[in-house]
Amino acid sequence: MRLYLYVAALAGLALPAMAQEVPIQQTIQRQLDAFNARDIGKAWTYASPNIKGIFGTPDQFGEMVEKVYPMVWRHDAVRMLELRTVAGNLWQRVMITDAGGRTYLLDYMMVETAEGWQINAVQLLPQQGVGA
């Protein structure tokens, strides 16, 4: 009986994150699709108020993504990995393969706003197995 309660408690802790997983992943995928279509205005709608405050305009935001995150700007494949809570924030890990066949891992920090889930930060993770 104790094992059942323990498993039920663990499942209960995971349910809130799991319930958010689909809309979070949809938000990220829609922004990635907008970048691939060069619809910067649409991609901008998935950025959080914080990101919008930093970049000011969709054009400045698009220029940054093109230069800093070329694998996001033009990608061939996207695979959603795990959704995690870190220091009270939800982070969605995403594997992106660019047009040249290189694979990257990115973490997307998500925030829930009145408009739904929005992207509040993106981190490009270090390449595994690189270096001496």
Side-chain angles (χ1 to χ4, degrees), residues 26-106:
Q26 288 174 338
T27 296
I28 295 167
Q29 186 64 59
R30 288 175 182 148
Q31 187 183 62
L32 290 167
D33 292 345
F35 281 127
N36 251 8
R38 299 300 176 266
D39 188 345
I40 306 309
K42 184 72 170 171
W44 178 251
T45 66
Y46 301 108
S48 72
N50 182 51
I51 296 298
K52 290 174 180 170
I54 291 169
F55 293 99
T57 69
D59 289 336
Q60 288 178 321
F61 175 64
E63 286 176 30
M64 179 279 297
V65 172
E66 183 179 14
K67 290 176 182 157
V68 178
Y69 299 100
M71 75 292 295
V72 169
W73 184 253
R74 171 70 69 196
H75 60 277
D76 277 349
V78 175
R79 183 172 166 211
M80 299 293 167
L81 302 175
E82 68 274 2
L83 175 64
R84 302 163 336 283
T85 301
V86 179
N89 296 306
L90 285 174
W91 290 85
Q92 174 66 54
R93 181 146 304 161
V94 180
M95 183 185 318
I96 296 179
T97 304
D98 70 11
R102 291 174 299 277
T103 300
Y104 302 86
L105 290 177
L106 295 97

Side-chain angles (χ1 to χ4, degrees), residues 106-129:
L106 295 97
D107 271 344
Y108 282 73
M109 181 184 173
M110 305 301 294
V111 294
E112 193 168 21
T113 69
E115 288 78 36
W117 286 100
Q118 294 184 319
I119 299 164
N120 199 45
V122 178
Q123 286 184 322
L124 176 61
L125 301 176
Q127 297 281 31
Q128 299 296 316

